[in-house]
Amino acid sequence: MTATRTVELEGHIIDSGMMQRAFGLVMDLGGDFEVEEFVVGKHKDKTSHCRMAVSAGPDEDDADLQEILHELHQIGANLIDPVDARVVPAPADQVVPNGFYSTTNHPTRVRYEGEWIDVENIEMDCAIVVEEDDDGVRAYTKVLNAIDEGDLVVTDEAGVRVDPPERPRDASGPFGFMQGGVSSERPSESLIKQVAEALEETKREGGKVLVVAGPALIHAGAGDDLARLVREGYVDMISAGNGFATHDIERGLYGTSLGMDMETMEHPRKGHKHHIYTISEVIRAGGIEEAVEEGLVGSGIMYECVKNDVPYVLAGSIRDDGPLPDTITDAVEAQNAIREQAHEADMVLMLSTLLHSVAVGNCLPSTTRVACVDINPATVTQLLDRGSSQAIGMVTDIGTFVPTLADEVLTGDSSVTDGGEDADAAEGDAAGDDN
């Protein structure tokens, strides 16, 4: 007799395409399904409900059914059986039990001793640990290298519920204007205004804004405007690499970014050495904060971060020159520092950096507002492909976006023409140094 399990889908499952994806997944994996109940929400503010029995097909086994259930679970189809999650002690440090539950980035609950518990610090590709103490029971995510021997790790999908956030059917909500996905053919001015409104709303509500930035932002001439946003309190944290901070400080010391004069766009004699001279001077001072305090660094984004107590994480790369003393060169340590920022963020602006955008995106829950801006649509597409489905993308020159955003937020006055007049200067958005 073929094993059968019942799953249910709830919410705007028709508009979001969840129901069609569920049917397609079952058929693609060789299974079968029967819809037992289907209630359609007939108004925009009404949700739908579908309950269906899923089997692995006559020629399949329980392992095949488990694979189907796993894939359905990832898109928000939950087992209807009210059973407790199965927890198994970790056999050793950094070792999880076979069949451990690997998280999505969606809000998640686990059932333990008859009670549903919210999973804390949700992010994708982690294990769920259940812990009992004097204050009760809690469930939270752990990356694999943080697992301790004896941790009670959730295995299988039974007793786990996932609730993917849904975008509105119409253009309402903070990111309703981006419902069409990634495109370079929408009016830049109106989109930037919408992002500015979301940024202002986040701050009004007491939320925190994280900026993930690449060095192309400096090359494209947007450094002063990001510095303005930091100074005026619209940026709470920055995540970047060694190259971003180096080129920002280089501009203040020499007027160049990666050797190019930011005023004339020419390459002065020995300009190509300015970035390494910059690193040397900051090392001599003892770090970025020390360089600011002694007056070596007197302007720029890193200067404003120090002066306004805005924390920053500079994650190292194998390509780094120097690096700056503030750069975290241990990959796991850098990942943990990025993770702390991501868990605190309520809105994230990802500006012209592929590698750091994907790294931060992997640590974010799907409920966090994310806007990714790059001249190359492949950057946004790859972020979405990696699982950051909540990210919305804007394909435009970062040298146009940041100044216009700053004007919109700080003065309410923006003027920008569509297109990408500075696209040549922003080629580094995707192709340049991403440190």
Side-chain angles (χ1 to χ4, degrees), residues 88-95 97 129-130 142 147-153:
V88 178
D93 290 350
Q94 301 185 359
V95 179
V129 171
V130 176
K142 264 193 175 185
I147 292 290
D148 296 315
E149 181 179 357
D151 278 346
L152 295 179
V153 179

Side-chain angles (χ1 to χ4, degrees), residues 51-88:
R51 187 176 69 227
M52 64 180 186
V54 180
S55 61
D59 300 323
E60 311 295 336
D61 56 23
D62 288 345
D64 297 304
L65 175 59
Q66 191 60 38
E67 181 183 358
I68 294 173
L69 295 174
H70 172 76
E71 295 299 327
L72 288 173
H73 189 81
Q74 302 299 295
I75 65 169
N78 294 298
L79 289 167
I80 200 169
D81 319 43
V83 298
D84 281 352
R86 180 171 177 261
V87 295
V88 178

Side-chain angles (χ1 to χ4, degrees), residues 60 103 125 150 155 186 200 204 211 261 294 320:
E60 311 295 336
T103 57
D125 302 330
T155 59
R186 297 193 187 90
E200 292 171 329
R204 280 197 306 270
V211 168
D261 189 295
E294 73 175 43
D320 286 342

Side-chain angles (χ1 to χ4, degrees), residues 178-432:
M178 292 302 296
Q179 290 305 299
V182 180
S183 174
S184 58
E185 298 179 355
R186 297 193 187 90
S188 297
E189 187 172 0
S190 60
L191 293 184
I192 295 173
K193 184 174 181 179
Q194 294 278 7
V195 174
E197 290 173 353
L199 177 60
E200 292 171 329
E201 180 183 331
T202 300
K203 296 303 298 178
R204 280 197 306 270
E205 295 174 349
K208 290 188 175 183
V209 176
L210 169 62
V211 168
V212 184
L217 186 146
I218 309 298
H219 307 334
D224 286 346
D225 295 284
L226 181 56
R228 289 168 60 200
L229 290 170
V230 173
R231 183 168 59 249
E232 298 300 326
Y234 284 92
V235 176
D236 299 284
M237 302 170 283
I238 285 183
S239 179
N242 182 73
F244 171 81
T246 298
H247 302 147
D248 172 62
I249 298 171
E250 175 193 340
R251 180 169 181 255
L253 293 180
Y254 300 101
T256 61
S257 175
L258 203 60
M260 183 182 71
D261 189 295
M262 296 300 295
E263 298 297 330
T264 66
M265 300 298 155
E266 296 177 352
H267 291 270
R269 185 170 177 269
K270 293 187 177 180
H272 63 285
K273 297 183 179 182
H274 287 173
H275 78 286
I276 201 67
Y277 290 166
T278 297
I279 292 170
S280 176
E281 291 301 309
V282 175
I283 292 174
R284 182 176 292 112
I288 295 174
E289 183 174 354
E290 291 82 358
V292 169
E293 296 306 324
E294 73 175 43
L296 174 67
V297 177
S299 63
I301 299 164
M302 304 313 298
Y303 170 84
E304 296 295 346
C305 285
V306 171
K307 287 298 186 181
N308 294 281
D309 295 320
V310 172
Y312 50 85
V313 171
L314 304 180
S317 163
I318 195 66
R319 300 170 295 170
D320 286 342
D321 292 318
L324 293 168
D326 303 76
T327 301
I328 303 173
T329 56
D330 183 291
V332 174
E333 183 184 348
Q335 191 179 91
N336 289 335
I338 289 173
R339 181 170 287 110
E340 286 187 27
Q341 287 187 321
H343 289 169
E344 292 183 21
D346 298 287
M347 180 175 179
V348 181
L349 296 178
M350 297 178 172
L351 308 176
S352 69
T353 171
L354 171 59
L355 299 181
H356 280 83
S357 294
V358 171
V360 174
N362 287 350
C363 300
L364 292 171
S366 61
T367 50
T368 302
R369 295 170 170 175
V370 179
C372 182
V373 183
D374 203 295
I375 198 68
N376 188 346
T379 297
V380 186
T381 301
Q382 184 162 341
L383 185 69
L384 296 172
D385 289 344
R386 288 286 300 163
S388 300
S389 57
Q390 82 277 25
I392 54 92
M394 184 171 176
V395 181
T396 191
D397 167 34
I398 201 68
T400 298
F401 175 84
V402 176
T404 309
L405 177 68
D407 286 343
E408 189 66 49
V409 170
L410 300 177
T411 69
D413 177 26
S414 64
S415 59
V416 60
T417 56
D418 296 334
E421 301 95 326
D422 298 320
D424 291 340
E427 283 299 318
D429 282 16

